[in-house]
Amino acid sequence: MSLTLIAALVSAGIAGLAGWTAAWTWQGRVIDQIKLEAKDERIAQQWAARQSIERATGALIQAQNAAARRGTDLRRDADGAASAGGGLRIAATDAVRAAAQDAAACAASAAVLSDILGAATAEAERLAREADQWESTAVMFFEAWPR
């Protein structure tokens, strides 16, 4: 074998080895880049999922707080209705007392009217509380529903 042929073969071997090493290194970097992009995509998905959960949780907390405020307002209104009913009952009792001096029949009918008014007021209060609670629950569910 001639010296030039050996030099050419050695040169070709070195060039081939250098090319193979460069391709191997380049392919490794491409694989690393693909892995990095996949990791970044998973992180982005997890971040988006966490944001969605936090938004839903925040909406639920706000809805529950608003429901608690509505409950307080409803109890205050129910107490006001009870006070108004009590005031009507007292007024009816006073009317009965005033009418009792004039006619016994008027007093009896006023007493019956007072009882009926008391029962109606109690039932109206109960229905109002129940209706307000249903409304408050419906509003809470609507406000807490994920958007």
Side-chain angles (χ1 to χ4, degrees):
M1 250 190 176
S2 78
L3 195 55
T4 50
L5 183 60
I6 293 174
L9 285 175
V10 169
S11 175
I14 291 173
L17 183 61
W20 181 81
T21 303
W24 185 267
T25 303
W26 178 77
Q27 187 66 26
R29 288 183 182 158
V30 168
I31 290 172
D32 289 343
Q33 185 64 29
I34 289 171
K35 287 180 182 178
L36 183 62
E37 288 172 1
K39 182 181 74 168
D40 289 346
E41 181 65 27
R42 279 193 310 272
I43 289 171
Q45 289 172 352
Q46 290 172 350
W47 183 80
R50 178 168 292 278
Q51 291 296 326
S52 177
I53 289 169
E54 287 178 2
R55 269 194 311 276
T57 302
L60 176 63
I61 289 170
Q62 287 179 348
Q64 289 172 336
N65 290 341
R69 283 191 301 272
R70 282 192 302 276
T72 302
D73 292 343
L74 295 176
R75 284 187 293 281
R76 184 188 64 236
D77 293 344
D79 291 343
S83 295
L88 289 174
R89 217 173 288 115
I90 290 170
T93 303
D94 291 343
V96 168
R97 286 186 186 138
Q101 295 173 358
D102 294 336
C106 182
S109 74
V112 170
L113 179 62
S114 177
D115 291 342
I116 292 172
L117 180 62
T121 301
E123 184 63 19
E125 289 172 14
R126 185 191 68 76
L127 287 174
R129 276 193 304 273
E130 188 174 323
D132 288 341
Q133 186 60 45
W134 277 100
E135 178 195 17
S136 180
T137 302
V139 169
M140 180 188 66
F141 285 137
F142 178 76
E143 289 175 349
W145 194 259
R147 293 179 193 10

